[in-house]
Amino acid sequence: MENKQGYDPSEFEDDDYTTPQPDAGKSIRGYRIVIIILSVILAALSVLYFSIHRQQMLDNELLQADRDSIQNDLGRLMTDYDGLRISNDSISAGLTLERERADSLMTRLKKERSWNLAKIKQYEKEVGTLRTIMKGYVKQIDSLNTLNKKLIKENVGFRKEISSAKLRADMAEEKAAELDNKVKVGSVLRARDIRLSALNDRSKPVSRVKNAARLRVDFVLAANELATPGNKAVYVRITSPDGYVLTTEAMPTFEFEGERLSYSAMREVDYYQNQDLEVGIYYNSTGFAAGTYQIQLYCEGRLIGQTQVVMK
């Protein structure tokens, strides 16, 4: 059918041209709205995530601070336990047990990896229990100390009463000890008039010591009222001019001031109180040399006399 204006509409049709549809524009606007909404939601979620993350970090910091606080408090408590010292066996055993519990709790604290508010409360409760127990022990110790102070105060009076008597007793004991020491010193035997003689094998004196077959030491044990009478062992040490102590092949010894000394000869004598006693002790040998001889006499662990004799 031809157009009344005299043209054919089909002449203006273009195969590549498509007339826009009203529904397509609506779809694009819908997508944009959805994208905007999703973007808003994503932004909100991001803000919420960072907010929650930050809160968690703050919570962890608070938990860490609480943990450090509990650990420090427990450390101070352990130090307090270490500072408590008492001689009472029962209380001392209890303190040792509670100190071991504190050590165990500190070990658990250091090994703990998962922290939350419930565990913080639990540890705070355990530390508080240990603190309460320690306060109880401190109170008991204070009570014992107070009692001890009271007893000490009461004893002061008794000490004052006996101090003068004790002082008198000490003075008497000191005087008795001094007197006893004087008696011991005074009771020591003394040898006087010490002589050395050279003799032949028939015990006759010889003029030259090189010709002697024996030596005789003569001396007098002086009378001493304080000395105990009875048998006395007297040891003589004869030192030759070359500095050697003359002795026998057996090399006998006696004790003197904690040491063992060799001697030349020994004799037991019957000492009577208040009487001088003349004594002679023989030493048998040969090959004596001329010169100065040292003579020392010992009895009852003491040096009772000594002298020097020149022998020709």
Side-chain angles (χ1 to χ4, degrees):
M1 181 177 179
E2 295 182 358
N3 192 292
K4 293 182 179 181
Q5 278 79 15
Y7 69 92
D8 186 358
S10 61
E11 296 177 356
F12 299 95
E13 292 180 357
D14 188 352
D15 293 337
D16 297 328
Y17 175 76
T18 302
T19 304
Q21 300 296 323
D23 291 338
K26 293 180 179 179
S27 297
I28 292 171
R29 286 193 300 274
Y31 289 142
R32 289 178 177 172
I33 292 172
V34 171
I35 290 172
I36 293 172
I37 292 173
L38 291 176
S39 298
V40 172
I41 292 173
L42 180 60
L45 289 175
S46 298
V47 172
L48 180 61
Y49 168 77
F50 284 112
S51 177
I52 293 174
H53 180 68
R54 183 177 181 183
Q55 185 62 42
Q56 288 178 341
M57 291 182 64
L58 291 175
D59 291 342
N60 287 334
E61 290 178 359
L62 291 175
L63 289 174
Q64 181 71 25
D66 289 339
R67 188 199 70 174
D68 292 342
S69 177
I70 293 173
Q71 189 167 331
N72 292 335
D73 191 21
L74 181 58
R76 289 191 294 270
L77 180 63
M78 293 167 68
T79 302
D80 292 341
Y81 269 112
D82 291 338
L84 295 177
R85 293 289 183 270
I86 188 168
S87 59
N88 185 282
D89 293 339
S90 177
I91 295 180
S92 180
L95 287 173
T96 301
L97 179 61
E98 296 304 323
R99 181 59 170 81
E100 291 175 353
R101 288 181 56 190
D103 285 336
S104 177
L105 182 58
M106 179 64 79
T107 301
R108 287 166 48 201
L109 269 171
K110 292 181 177 179
K111 291 183 177 180
E112 188 67 63
R113 294 292 179 266
S114 177
W115 288 91
N116 54 48
L117 186 59
K119 288 186 177 180
I120 290 293
K121 296 298 183 183
Q122 176 187 346
Y123 282 118
E124 286 179 344
K125 182 178 179 180
E126 292 187 48
V127 173
T129 300
L130 288 173
R131 178 70 67 183
T132 300
I133 293 173
M134 190 194 73
K135 289 181 179 178
Y137 280 120
V138 170
K139 186 175 180 180
Q140 292 183 53
I141 293 172
D142 287 342
S143 298
L144 288 175
N145 289 337
T146 300
L147 179 61
N148 288 337
K149 290 179 180 179
K150 181 179 179 181
L151 293 175
I152 291 173
K153 185 176 181 180
E154 291 177 355
N155 287 336
V156 169
F158 294 105
R159 291 197 187 101
K160 289 182 177 179
E161 290 177 4
I162 66 174
S163 61
S164 57
K166 186 176 183 301
L167 179 60
R168 290 194 298 270
D170 289 342
M171 293 178 63
E173 183 178 355
E174 183 178 350
K175 289 181 179 180
E178 182 179 355
L179 179 61
D180 183 62
N181 185 58
K182 289 181 178 179
V183 170
K184 288 181 179 180
V185 172
S187 65
V188 175
L189 293 177
R190 299 298 176 186
R192 57 180 173 83
D193 301 334
I194 303 171
R195 303 176 303 280
L196 180 64
S197 302
L199 307 175
N200 60 20
D201 54 1
R202 295 188 301 276
S203 297
K204 300 298 183 180
V206 294
S207 60
R208 299 288 180 179
V209 71
K210 67 178 181 178
N211 298 325
R214 63 196 320 194
L215 299 177
R216 186 180 67 202
V217 177
D218 295 299
F219 58 92
V220 175
L221 283 179
N224 189 336
E225 295 181 356
L226 298 178
T228 303
N231 290 332
K232 308 289 183 181
V234 181
Y235 299 89
V236 58
R237 278 167 56 95
I238 304 172
T239 305
S240 64
D242 56 5
Y244 291 98
V245 175
L246 301 181
T247 185
T248 64
E249 292 182 358
M251 298 185 67
T253 62
F254 68 98
E255 185 173 352
F256 176 70
E257 296 183 352
E259 297 183 6
R260 302 297 302 184
L261 299 181
S262 61
Y263 62 89
S264 305
M266 182 273 290
R267 179 180 174 182
E268 286 194 359
V269 297
D270 194 0
Y271 177 78
Y272 291 94
Q273 194 172 355
N274 295 326
Q275 293 181 359
D276 286 349
L277 180 64
E278 294 185 357
V279 181
I281 301 178
Y282 293 87
Y283 171 70
N284 299 319
S285 185
T286 58
F288 300 109
T292 302
Y293 285 76
Q294 303 284 340
I295 310 298
Q296 294 174 315
L297 294 168
Y298 296 85
C299 183
E300 297 180 328
R302 294 178 180 272
L303 177 64
I304 63 173
Q306 59 183 337
T307 190
Q308 294 180 353
V309 179
V310 178
M311 303 295 289
K312 296 181 179 180

